[in-house]
Amino acid sequence: MKHFRNFCIIAHIDHGKSTLADRLLEFTHTINQREMQNQVLDDMDLEREKGITIKSHAIQINYQYQHQEYILNLIDTPGHVDFSYEVSRALAACEGALLLIDATQGIQAQTISNLYLAIDNNLEIIPVLNKIDMEGAMIAEVEDQVIELIGCKREEILHASAKTGEGVEEILHAIVERIPPPDGDPEKPLQALIFDSVFNSFRGIIVYFRIFNGVIHSGEKIRFLNTGKEYLADEVGVLKLGMQPKKLVGAGDVGYVITGIKTATEVKVGDTLTTVANPSRESIHGFKEVKPMVFAGIFPINTDEFEELRECMEKLQLNDASLTFELETSQALGFGFRCGFLGMLHMEIVQERLEREFNQTVITTVPNVSFIAYTTNGETVIVNNPAQMPDPSRIDRIEEPYIRAQIISKPEYIGNIMNLCIGKRGTLVYQGYLTTTRVELGFEMPLTEIVFDFYDRLKSQTRGYASFDYHPIGYRESDIAKMDILLNGDRVDALSALIHKSRAQDFGRKLCEKLKELVPRQQFQIAIQAAIGAKIIARENISAMRKDVTAKCYGGDISRKRKLLEKQKEGKKRMKQIGNVEVPQEAFLAVLKLD
């Protein structure tokens, strides 16, 4: 075991994690030239298209150092704040982390947030300055930032360029010398932490684990401690670029097991594996429960496809443990799921993955966060969607979730950032200079305000020079109302939203205007209204398509024309009573893109 090293690469978005992983694999000849490509560990099409890492990827590297063979288990992690749960799970399987910092950008918000996650897990941190070959690299300045942040010595900071491969050998030396080998006893009963799983249509569920104590043999009976289920380990092995079967995997190593499990609900990420013959009594302290930040309904376009969608959601949840969902019904959309996401990017990725990997075309409703409503008779209701909101006459007060936002940017953008955050009901808590060209701002603001377009607007206000990170700080009382959209007096529950009263009128007006463009004209007039309770706050009309019934009257008395028009008016009135307005799918998507 003393020749094992388990480590991951953590950094802000676009600081070069996947590129460095490519160079490490290339330098150690883990991958031959034919298999080599950019972002080799990012095996999803989506990851390549967007240039981001969505999933953590584990791979084993063999490295010869001072005539001794070492086995390095590398986990490449995502950088975006919406996938920080992936990062926390990767950290639980490691003893050390490479903290990668872009020498042209310096320290950014997600760098600090991921660093704190690593320190909480007692990991050995190796700071690496990346992109030193670029013209804009500020090596000395960024070194000062790193020293101030983690209190290391200047000579401990490694310099590298993941693009050219410079400094990769020094990084490998540092991994072997500085990261401690894993603790653990191969003689003890088996204790393995499940940190990820994936569904394979031929072989069932493949479970990825990190062994803390004991060994796992191919063909022996294993037990999942939390669910109590027992299975035969058909195949165990380690993760190279593909899966490499072995007779046994021992303490300190990272590997996979295939048991032929077909039901997705029987595998839980964070569970502990042990053997039936010599079981461990206690489970490993897993991960903390994931707290969804944004809720939205996902519905199949055809209601007959509901069961198929449920299966797909369960399979997707195996591979994305931060996705939570429960059953929901809607008058407009039928059966579907109320899903919890870690952010808007996460929601977008889940929707894309459902379409690409499972061929499911879905409708997503307006995203919102969960509120707590206290009724006048002392009940507490958790409101995850507008339909669960109690009657306004019964509500004593409503509390909404608040977050502490941390924004790091250049001093010239302070004014823009403050305008944006204060406009989103934020309050400035602190402001400090990390260096002369780097300022850190802390705001406390409602989560509702950052759900829609906050991140995009922050990027445009600061020309991309701001990094943003947040964490929840609890609930506070607020003036929240439920806004309904009525089409011809009928509520469209999928378009209802919970919104702060100060913004309701503006939001309602924009939504009505948008729907006027998207809802097709009918033979009768359609009224689109936004209402809070019984009070209408915005209205738009879609005029009726009408036939020119007086066309056949060439001259003649006016009473003949009036008679025809009155008859038409009566018909329109009857039509309006029985008429049904279909809301096109674009309308649900348009709500997400309101400015």
Side-chain angles (χ1 to χ4, degrees):
M1 263 176 65
K2 65 175 186 286
H3 299 132
F4 277 115
R5 298 289 183 272
N6 298 322
F7 72 100
C8 59
I9 309 177
I10 54 175
H12 190 78
I13 315 155
D14 277 346
H15 280 209
K17 293 175 296 298
S18 299
T19 316
L20 179 65
D22 290 353
R23 291 298 85 74
L24 289 170
L25 299 178
E26 209 170 37
F27 186 83
T28 54
H29 306 296
T30 306
I31 291 180
N32 60 37
Q33 274 317 110
R34 200 184 65 207
E35 295 170 319
M36 195 61 215
Q37 55 176 335
N38 286 342
Q39 285 175 271
V40 71
L41 292 180
D42 294 348
D43 48 14
M44 244 186 270
D45 295 344
L46 263 178
E47 293 180 310
R48 298 186 170 284
E49 282 167 29
K50 292 181 181 283
I52 56 174
T53 303
I54 294 167
K55 287 287 306 161
S56 294
H57 299 272
I59 190 164
Q60 193 171 87
I61 298 171
N62 293 61
Y63 179 56
Q64 191 99 16
Y65 178 60
Q66 292 179 350
H67 311 298
Q68 177 61 55
E69 186 80 26
Y70 286 90
I71 293 174
L72 316 177
N73 286 310
L74 152 68
I75 302 180
D76 177 27
T77 65
H80 198 283
V81 62
D82 281 13
F83 307 112
S84 53
Y85 189 60
E86 284 287 324
V87 181
S88 70
R89 300 204 322 258
L91 294 173
C94 295
E95 277 80 35
L98 296 181
L99 180 71
L100 208 59
I101 298 138
D102 183 338
T104 61
Q105 301 271 344
I107 285 173
Q108 294 190 280
Q110 202 54 30
T111 315
I112 296 175
S113 146
N114 284 339
L115 172 70
Y116 289 155
L117 274 178
I119 291 170
D120 287 347
N121 281 315
N122 297 324
L123 264 60
E124 178 65 38
I125 311 286
I126 300 176
V128 181
L129 287 196
N130 191 20
K131 307 194 188 181
I132 56 164
D133 59 318
M134 288 181 74
E135 280 178 22
M138 312 170 288
I139 295 173
E141 196 180 313
V142 179
E143 274 184 347
D144 293 340
Q145 291 179 20
V146 175
I147 291 165
E148 203 173 309
L149 182 67
I150 57 179
C152 62
K153 296 188 179 73
R154 194 174 290 272
E155 56 272 16
E156 287 177 4
I157 303 171
L158 303 176
H159 294 182
S161 164
K163 189 171 160 191
T164 62
E166 186 184 338
V168 168
E169 193 168 359
E170 289 75 18
I171 292 175
L172 286 164
H173 292 179
I175 290 166
V176 172
E177 287 164 10
R178 295 197 217 168
I179 294 176
D183 297 331
D185 187 349
E187 304 303 316
K188 282 187 175 174
L190 175 69
Q191 273 184 314
L193 178 70
I194 298 174
F195 68 87
D196 205 356
S197 54
V198 61
F199 186 84
N200 181 310
S201 43
F202 302 108
R203 312 202 62 184
I205 292 163
I206 302 167
V207 175
Y208 298 142
F209 57 76
R210 150 78 202 271
I211 300 183
F212 284 88
N213 288 314
V215 290
I216 182 167
H217 292 84
S218 176
E220 75 178 323
K221 249 191 150 183
I222 55 168
R223 177 184 296 154
F224 292 87
L225 272 184
N226 285 6
T227 55
K229 303 275 189 201
E230 295 179 3
Y231 294 99
L232 199 67
D234 296 336
E235 184 184 305
V236 299
V238 292
L239 298 154
K240 292 286 191 184
L241 188 57
M243 294 181 293
Q244 192 172 22
K246 288 202 156 186
K247 288 275 191 299
L248 80 152
V249 181
D253 212 345
V254 174
Y256 72 92
V257 59
I258 299 174
T259 55
I261 308 172
K262 287 285 192 283
T263 35
T265 45
E266 291 179 18
V267 176
K268 291 268 184 292
V269 166
D271 198 354
T272 304
L273 273 183
T274 188
T275 53
V276 173
N278 182 11
S280 164
R281 295 274 166 257
E282 59 190 72
S283 55
I284 305 163
H285 179 62
F287 318 104
K288 35 178 212 292
E289 275 296 300
V290 56
K291 281 198 181 73
M293 292 284 173
V294 174
F295 291 88
I298 285 187
F299 294 86
I301 284 184
N302 300 328
T303 40
D304 317 347
E305 292 169 7
F306 169 71
E307 280 303 325
E308 200 181 319
L309 180 63
R310 184 207 294 265
E311 276 176 37
C312 297
M313 293 288 280
E314 283 175 358
K315 287 174 188 173
L316 184 57
Q317 193 181 33
L318 272 178
N319 196 234
D320 183 355
S322 48
L323 171 68
T324 55
F325 62 88
E326 59 189 41
L327 207 65
E328 183 186 43
T329 52
S330 149
Q331 294 162 357
L333 302 169
F335 287 105
F337 296 99
R338 185 92 200 141
C339 304
F341 307 98
L342 296 186
M344 289 297 277
L345 178 70
H346 185 211
M347 177 174 130
E348 194 186 312
I349 295 292
V350 166
Q351 208 174 335
E352 285 259 351
R353 286 184 72 182
L354 280 171
E355 284 186 16
R356 289 183 185 210
E357 294 172 29
F358 302 103
N359 295 326
Q360 291 290 318
T361 319
V362 292
I363 296 175
T364 311
T365 62
V366 186
N368 62 297
V369 302
S370 62
F371 299 88
I372 298 177
Y374 295 91
T375 58
T376 44
N377 58 2
E379 276 181 69
T380 305
V381 184
I382 293 177
V383 182
N384 280 338
N385 66 348
Q388 296 170 337
M389 187 74 143
D391 188 78
S393 58
R394 288 179 42 230
I395 295 173
D396 176 34
R397 67 181 195 281
I398 295 176
E399 291 185 352
E400 66 174 328
Y402 264 70
I403 55 149
R404 166 70 64 89
Q406 175 196 33
I407 298 168
I408 296 176
S409 187
K410 292 185 169 182
E412 56 259 40
Y413 300 120
I414 291 177
N416 292 359
I417 294 170
M418 285 199 178
N419 282 343
L420 175 64
C421 293
I422 290 164
K424 296 275 191 186
R425 297 191 285 133
T427 46
L428 183 67
V429 185
Y430 66 87
Q431 175 181 345
Y433 282 83
L434 299 171
T435 64
T436 50
T437 57
R438 229 353 91 105
V439 63
E440 182 180 5
L441 301 166
F443 288 91
E444 285 183 358
M445 56 203 299
L447 183 60
T448 336
E449 299 289 345
I450 70 158
V451 161
F452 279 101
D453 57 350
F454 178 79
Y455 193 58
D456 296 339
R457 286 184 57 191
L458 178 69
K459 283 282 184 218
S460 59
Q461 295 277 5
T462 58
R463 302 196 182 151
Y465 278 109
S467 58
F468 170 68
D469 185 39
Y470 60 86
H471 60 267
I473 53 171
Y475 284 76
R476 296 183 188 175
E477 194 172 335
S478 188
D479 199 5
I480 297 290
K482 178 187 175 188
M483 190 183 79
D484 290 308
I485 295 292
L486 311 174
L487 286 182
N488 266 353
D490 295 333
R491 276 193 173 80
V492 183
D493 59 346
L495 290 173
S496 299
L498 297 168
I499 195 161
H500 195 265
K501 280 184 182 163
S502 65
R503 291 191 52 212
Q505 194 152 5
D506 186 41
F507 185 72
R509 194 180 304 114
K510 282 181 180 166
L511 194 47
C512 288
E513 284 168 9
K514 197 78 184 166
L515 286 172
K516 185 179 178 179
E517 294 167 21
L518 294 167
V519 175
R521 284 173 70 184
Q522 304 280 353
Q523 295 283 357
F524 51 89
Q525 187 191 40
I526 302 170
I528 302 171
Q529 295 164 309
I532 291 180
K535 184 184 175 191
I536 304 294
I537 54 170
R539 172 177 174 137
E540 292 285 337
N541 286 335
I542 299 177
S543 52
M545 291 193 288
R546 53 191 288 262
K547 184 177 159 192
D548 186 1
V549 286
T550 59
K552 63 183 178 184
C553 302
Y554 298 106
D557 189 38
I558 184 70
S559 58
R560 280 183 65 202
K561 290 185 180 176
R562 195 165 289 143
K563 185 179 161 192
L564 288 168
L565 289 168
E566 287 297 325
K567 195 176 172 188
Q568 184 187 35
K569 195 172 167 187
E570 283 299 312
K572 294 266 184 238
K573 209 175 189 177
R574 269 203 312 278
M575 211 184 263
K576 189 169 182 174
Q577 285 166 356
I578 59 165
N580 195 2
V581 183
E582 286 288 314
V583 184
Q585 192 192 342
E586 294 86 58
F588 300 108
L589 303 176
V591 181
L592 311 183
K593 296 185 174 70
L594 276 184
D595 297 336

